[in-house]
Amino acid sequence: MKILKKINSKAKSDSNTGFGTNASSYGGRFITKNGNANVRKSGVGFFEGISWYHTMVNIPRWKFFVIIVVFYFFVNFVFASLYYAVGIEHLNGVTAVKTLDKFGQAFFFSVQTFTTVGYGHVSPTGFLTSFIAAIEALFGLLSFAIATGLFYGRFSKPKAHIKFSENALITPYKDGTALMLRLSPFKNTNLTDAEAKITLGMKLDEKGGLINKFYTLDLELSKITALNLSWTLVHPITENSPLYNLTQEDYANIDGEILVFLKVFDDMFSTTVVKRASYSFDEIVYGAKFLPMFSRSDNQNKTVLHIDKLNLFEKMKL
């Protein structure tokens, strides 16, 4: 309750955030550090609760390629086992004598059938073996069509190639202080019409129970025409800010989180892309300022944006 009294009474809470107010039902932060909702769904079956397309498009690149390779070898192993079970004598051209060599030739015949390469060195005889080969050829065509669609989906999906600073800062600003965080594009994209919104979320004890309180933090500049360099989002901590009365100790004791929502237009995809970020109160550095992250080039005719300096700051007294 003491902390609740410290929240500026002039600050109006926001009830349209979509996160709800019952803090006792929440676990952890509202949004993960990488911008995803910190929610795990239950009450439906595993396969019913998963969109395989979204999963395959969004997983990290190395996981995607591992799944493709594992699936490829697993399917061929299964069909090779079927050919071997029916009888290796039904595959014309198999010359191996040892059991392992026979299975190996069946495996590579499966690879040729699955990929529809068909070198012709080994061919099926008999109805059952030919039927399995026909099913595998169809399955191979469908599998490669799905894999091609997933590759295209991953490459064509609009993404906001923007990095956020690891920390938000409470820094001197004009005659007072301000909450600041920094972001920057990091790839060769042209981004325009950027718009940012920051929401403060806190879990507070009110009337004997935990509640979620949300406040929209006003920004000195919430829209810019072009996002070519770094952009420092600045929330002046004035007497109308919910952070106005908070001290350094309060940031250490309050269960709070800064939610950042960014929309920007990517002219390559001709669409608006969205990026989210989150800073818990223990990721806010009290008494610091960001260091510059762009400078002139050596020949003075370009501006160099130093992405590796995005997170650099120096401590200072407030």
Side-chain angles (χ1 to χ4, degrees):
M1 184 62 73
K2 292 181 179 179
I3 293 178
L4 184 60
K5 290 181 178 179
K6 278 198 165 189
I7 304 301
N8 191 354
S9 59
K10 294 183 180 180
K12 295 182 179 180
S13 61
D14 187 355
S15 59
N16 297 320
T17 60
F19 291 101
T21 59
N22 186 6
S24 61
S25 300
Y26 272 79
R29 58 202 302 164
F30 299 108
I31 294 178
T32 62
K33 189 62 179 174
N34 60 5
N36 295 324
N38 189 28
V39 176
R40 177 172 59 85
K41 298 179 176 67
S42 65
V44 294
F46 176 77
F47 293 102
E48 184 182 358
I50 290 181
S51 169
W52 291 105
Y53 176 78
H54 286 82
T55 300
M56 293 297 290
V57 168
N58 290 320
I59 59 176
R61 189 178 305 164
W62 70 270
K63 287 186 178 181
F64 177 78
F65 284 110
V66 166
I67 290 173
I68 293 295
V69 171
V70 170
F71 175 81
Y72 176 78
F73 281 100
F74 175 76
V75 169
N76 282 291
F77 177 83
V78 170
F79 277 101
S81 300
L82 292 176
Y83 294 129
Y84 191 85
V86 170
I88 205 71
E89 65 274 7
H90 295 290
L91 293 177
N92 285 335
V94 173
T95 58
V97 177
K98 295 181 179 180
T99 301
L100 185 60
D101 291 338
K102 289 180 179 180
F103 185 83
Q105 287 194 316
F107 180 84
F108 286 109
F109 169 73
S110 172
V111 170
Q112 296 170 27
T113 305
F114 185 76
T115 58
T116 68
V117 172
Y119 290 122
H121 174 65
V122 179
S123 60
T125 61
F127 174 79
L128 187 55
T129 305
S130 299
F131 179 76
I132 294 174
I135 294 298
E136 183 178 13
L138 176 62
F139 190 73
L141 288 172
L142 294 177
S143 298
F144 278 100
I146 293 173
T148 302
L150 291 174
F151 270 104
Y152 177 77
R154 291 180 64 88
F155 280 106
S156 63
K157 178 187 175 183
K159 295 181 181 179
H161 297 291
I162 295 171
K163 289 183 180 291
F164 286 86
S165 58
E166 292 181 358
N167 299 99
L169 311 179
I170 301 296
T171 186
Y173 181 72
K174 295 183 178 179
D175 295 330
T177 59
L179 171 73
M180 296 188 185
L181 58 98
R182 189 158 65 176
L183 58 95
S184 175
F186 64 94
K187 290 202 174 184
N188 56 334
T189 55
N190 293 318
L191 304 176
T192 59
D193 299 324
E195 180 178 356
K197 179 181 179 181
I198 296 182
T199 298
L200 166 65
M202 291 183 290
K203 297 177 182 179
L204 302 173
D205 188 1
E206 184 180 70
K207 298 179 181 180
L210 284 176
I211 63 168
N212 292 329
K213 282 278 191 177
F214 297 94
Y215 302 88
T216 298
L217 302 185
D218 295 329
L219 295 175
E220 182 187 53
L221 191 64
S222 62
K223 297 180 180 180
I224 57 174
T225 302
L227 183 57
N228 298 319
L229 299 173
S230 63
W231 183 16
T232 302
L233 301 180
V234 179
H235 165 65
I237 303 178
T238 65
E239 59 181 10
N240 294 319
S241 170
L243 302 175
Y244 184 62
N245 296 319
L246 300 187
T247 64
Q248 184 174 3
E249 291 73 22
D250 293 327
Y251 284 101
N253 296 325
I254 296 176
D255 189 359
E257 188 175 347
I258 304 296
L259 311 177
V260 187
F261 304 90
L262 179 70
K263 294 191 300 183
V264 62
F265 186 82
D266 188 327
D267 63 1
M268 174 62 69
F269 292 103
S270 192
T271 190
T272 298
V273 291
V274 177
K275 189 75 173 180
R276 294 173 294 272
S278 169
Y279 299 88
S280 57
F281 270 22
D282 58 3
E283 294 168 337
I284 297 177
V285 179
Y286 193 89
K289 70 174 183 178
F290 286 113
L291 296 177
M293 62 175 294
F294 58 87
S295 62
R296 289 181 180 178
S297 61
D298 293 336
N299 57 10
Q300 307 293 309
N301 64 359
K302 278 190 178 294
T303 302
V304 180
L305 181 61
H306 304 280
I307 306 299
D308 57 338
K309 296 183 179 181
L310 175 65
N311 301 312
L312 297 185
F313 60 83
E314 63 180 3
K315 297 286 290 184
M316 59 190 312
K317 293 183 179 180
L318 294 181

